[in-house]
Amino acid sequence: MLNTIPKSWNSKLKPHLFCPGCGHGIAFKQLGFAIDGLGLQKEITMGVDIGCSLLAWNFLDVPTIQTHHGRTTPLLVGYKMVRPKRIVISYMGDGAAWGIGLQNIIHAAYRNNPVTVIVINNENFAMTGGQASYTTLPGTVTPTSPIGKSPELGAGFKGPELIRNVAHKEAYIARSTVANPIHLLSTLKKAILSQKENNNFALVEVLSICPTNWKTNAKASLDIAIDMEKVYPIGEVR
Amino acid sequence: MTHTTKIILAGEGGQGIQTIAKVITEVAAAQGMMVSYIPVFGVEQRGTPSVALIILSNEEIFYPRFDNADYAIVLQKRAVSSVESYLHNKTKIVFDSSTIGAENLPKEAIHRFGIPATQLAAEKFTPKAFNLIVAGKLSQVLNLDEDRVWQKIEKLLGKKFKTTEIREKSKQAFLFGRQFVFELKHFSKPIFQPATGKIVSKNAEKTALIDPERCKGCGICIVKCPVGALKFSDTLGVFATPVPEIDLEKCIACGNCFRFCPDGAIAVTKNKKFK
């Protein structure tokens, strides 16, 4: 029998709660393959944050834990201290990671805590209606920037580059995109292995698509994702 | 004397429930009625039931409390449960008989009025015009002025009428809806229901599996197919959106659709002896 989903997905809760064409689904597919490929399903603990990432509750068939506004990372750091053999994945959106919860990631990276952080960057606050966020590129029209986001409000927040400056030199920090699932899969595998084998901090920012709030069809949203790579270059951040 | 009408509109997110509600309330307000309109959204913006609560009255509405509905309009099977708590034995329930079977309605729904809007729109007009048929019928029931309602629809949906042909068909759908006579006893068959089971297609070299219970119709697989082997079919997926069908003669089993599908609804492999 053909399998349409990774083995580590929780097939009881499908179809999932994300919108049609959501980038979270593509990111989770590759995360599922990464976990399947490494054979780590029984060792993983997921932490999800508030925002659209909250809908990922029990998405994978692994123990899931949830808290708000970027505090998923320190929560899992504590969890890892108590249970050092578990592999912890902290999953959040760009609002939680680069906005309200930024200090949590900075300190986890500074202390080189063994935790894998996955940040889904869809360039807006998607669950509340697509308002402009820190990572929105100048000129983008959103409900809070009806004539296009002003360049004075920032040229797009580059989180991984910021974390690179404070992180331990062995930490794995990279950026990938849902428009290139093969690259995404290898990046996620490296990020999980960085924690498992070397006990290092790992951060992957995933450029994602948001057809509901961008009001685009499938082709246009993937084109925007590819355009984003000009500002947010994919690959390892050194 | 106070004369109050309470209307609950429910359907799938993205079906135009809130647009119909805006049209009705704004025109009613322009005709001198007192109105209250409360949209209800879930946390997800699409794919969950979307509900609008409307109160029309000839006197001031001091508190927009909504309890027993006079009219309940349900357009999608999954939305039936969201109107249940507002029904009582005098509620007139209007349902899309081409997507909801009469046996799926709750017991409280005694006064049933069928309008096979989805089927009519697909057969006579454009598939997306079904909400205009409903809006037309509803505005006629509520004695709202035809021209004013159409002007308001044009104002709200003007951007979506990309060609004059779509505009004409939409107007025809709206006018058709106004003149439509409700089905009272013999309802249409609910033919526009999500498909169940799995669609397996096979040839000597490849096997493809499409799961309509998971497909949300985003179309990413169609965009990402390098040889154009996928296109939308008539089968409906879980959100009542079309499911892609695969042409195995063109397919090269590259796995792109499988890799990109966010919902895990499609997979293609080469059969074992050809690997």
Side-chain angles (χ1 to χ4, degrees), chain A residues 80 84 112-115 193-201:
Chain A
K80 177 92 178 174
N112 200 24
N113 288 130
V115 52
L193 285 178
S194 158
Q195 183 194 157
K196 183 179 162 59
E197 290 177 353
N198 308 324
N199 251 6
N200 281 331
F201 177 83

Side-chain angles (χ1 to χ4, degrees), chain B residues 62-78:
Chain B
F62 292 108
Y63 181 56
R65 183 185 154 80
F66 198 96
D67 34 29
N68 290 332
D70 297 314
Y71 292 95
I73 293 118
V74 201
L75 299 184
Q76 195 55 248
K77 196 176 167 185
R78 298 200 309 162

Side-chain angles (χ1 to χ4, degrees), chain A:
Chain A
M1 191 65 197
L2 259 176
N3 248 336
T4 54
I5 57 171
K7 277 179 194 153
S8 47
W9 275 25
N10 187 351
S11 59
K12 283 177 199 161
L13 293 177
K14 301 289 172 297
H16 54 63
L17 297 169
F18 294 116
C19 299
C22 180
H24 277 279
I26 307 175
F28 257 109
K29 196 162 216 177
Q30 303 313 319
L31 182 60
F33 287 140
I35 293 170
D36 284 359
L38 300 169
L40 290 176
Q41 194 186 340
K42 292 201 169 149
E43 296 171 40
I44 299 261
T45 298
M46 277 284 290
V48 294
D49 210 284
I50 193 72
C52 280
S53 66
L54 176 65
L55 304 177
W57 178 263
N58 275 359
F59 196 105
L60 299 177
D61 196 2
V62 299
T64 309
I65 202 169
Q66 194 267 338
T67 183
H68 285 180
H69 303 146
R71 294 186 285 272
T72 314
T73 311
L75 183 74
L76 288 173
V77 167
Y79 180 89
K80 177 92 178 174
M81 283 174 183
V82 182
R83 292 178 184 269
K85 283 184 183 168
R86 302 290 294 180
I87 310 288
V88 292
I89 296 177
S90 167
Y91 186 89
M92 58 185 82
D94 56 325
W98 308 140
I100 195 163
L102 180 58
Q103 79 275 26
N104 301 307
I105 294 191
I106 290 182
H107 283 278
Y110 175 64
R111 293 185 301 251
N112 200 24
N113 288 130
V115 52
T116 301
V117 183
I118 298 172
V119 179
I120 301 293
N121 175 3
N122 55 9
E123 293 198 313
N124 59 34
F125 293 123
M127 183 170 265
T128 50
Q131 291 86 352
S133 77
Y134 323 97
T135 47
T136 308
L137 296 180
T140 314
V141 175
T142 67
T144 47
S145 57
I147 52 165
K149 189 186 172 189
S150 156
E152 290 165 12
L153 294 172
F157 192 91
K158 293 186 177 180
E161 280 82 352
L162 169 77
I163 300 297
R164 181 74 267 173
N165 290 327
V166 291
H168 191 267
K169 67 179 190 312
E170 302 255 302
Y172 182 79
I173 295 170
R175 189 186 278 122
S176 187
T177 169
V178 296
N180 189 346
I182 298 172
H183 181 267
L184 178 57
L185 176 60
S186 66
T187 313
L188 289 172
K189 272 189 179 173
K190 278 179 200 164
I192 295 173
L193 285 178
S194 158
Q195 183 194 157
K196 183 179 162 59
E197 290 177 353
N198 308 324
N199 251 6
N200 281 331
F201 177 83
L203 171 87
V204 182
E205 187 189 58
V206 183
L207 303 179
S208 181
I209 53 179
C210 186
T212 303
N213 289 311
W214 294 353
K215 299 180 175 61
T216 48
N217 59 13
K219 186 171 190 313
S221 30
L222 286 167
D223 285 350
I224 295 177
I226 290 164
D227 262 5
M228 275 161 76
E229 288 174 29
K230 287 175 193 158
V231 182
Y232 302 117
I234 66 167
E236 203 170 326
V237 180
R238 289 177 199 281

